[in-house]
Amino acid sequence: LLRKYNLADRDQTKAGLLLNYAPAPNIHIGFSTDLIEDDYTDSDLGLTDADSKNYNLDVSYLPAPDIQLNAFYSHDRIESRQLGSPSSGTKYKVNYDDKVDTVGLGARFDNVYKGLDLGIDYRYSKGTGETKYSSQSLASGSSSYPDLKNRLHHIELSAGYDLKENTRVKFAAIYENMKTDDWAVDGVPAYPTNQLLTLGNDTENYHVYAFMVSVQHRF
């Protein structure tokens, strides 16, 4: 009854659409979507079905031969349902509704000075997870848990320089900031009750700075 969802029998239906449009030689617009429906028809408990939708819109603009500007927006939504049974003859159902919205902006400048290329990219992502619980028992009824939330900021500065005709060095400086709110672990001590032992960890909130160097050589 408790087979792992990735080992359980599954029927999947998937559909996708891709559209590209160029209203002018230096402007490109793209749209894509993917719809996926998963049914775990032989699972009496655990994950029973999941539906995911993904929509993407991107725009690129070349105001000059060596300058490229781009922007994109992406929306992901995953709705899943699972069944549980804490005792014989009683079942409960949990519905999950996860939404993630991401926007990004970028610019690339080629041949700024004698083989030097520069770039900048920024991305912001916002996610929200809703959880609703219902039981077959009239005494338990149904309820909703607090939403799960996360925010991500990511910015990257890049540069590439041709040392020789067949040798190129690339640099990247990256900053990323992540903030997450999770009611299930935030503020929960390692020993909340005599019957429960947790790790006592909060969700990850971090600031990351990274610097990378790479060299490409063509023989």
Side-chain angles (χ1 to χ4, degrees), residues 56-97:
N56 296 285
L57 176 65
D58 62 86
V59 180
S60 61
Y61 173 54
L62 285 76
D66 294 332
I67 300 177
Q68 178 177 346
L69 309 177
N70 60 79
F72 77 90
Y73 167 74
S74 175
H75 174 76
D76 294 274
R77 183 173 183 177
I78 302 174
E79 298 176 274
S80 57
R81 289 152 289 277
Q82 73 175 43
L83 289 176
S85 180
S87 61
S88 177
T90 301
K91 289 186 178 181
Y92 64 85
K93 180 171 65 174
V94 182
N95 296 334
Y96 301 96
D97 189 355

Side-chain angles (χ1 to χ4, degrees), residues 137-211:
S137 172
L138 295 178
S140 300
S142 61
S143 60
S144 298
Y145 294 103
D147 291 346
L148 307 177
K149 300 178 180 178
N150 63 69
R151 305 289 185 273
L152 175 68
H153 295 271
H154 178 99
I155 187 169
E156 179 174 345
L157 304 175
S158 60
Y161 180 69
D162 293 326
L163 296 176
K164 298 180 179 180
E165 183 177 350
N166 60 344
T167 304
R168 183 176 179 82
V169 59
K170 301 177 71 175
F171 306 90
I174 301 173
Y175 168 73
E176 186 168 287
N177 169 235
M178 179 75 168
K179 180 176 177 56
T180 305
D181 295 323
D182 188 344
W183 61 271
V185 296
D186 288 341
V188 178
Y191 305 96
T193 67
N194 293 331
Q195 291 79 29
L196 180 63
L197 173 63
T198 72
L199 298 178
N201 293 331
D202 287 339
T203 51
E204 294 187 6
N205 298 312
Y206 63 80
H207 298 269
V208 172
Y209 301 88
F211 183 74

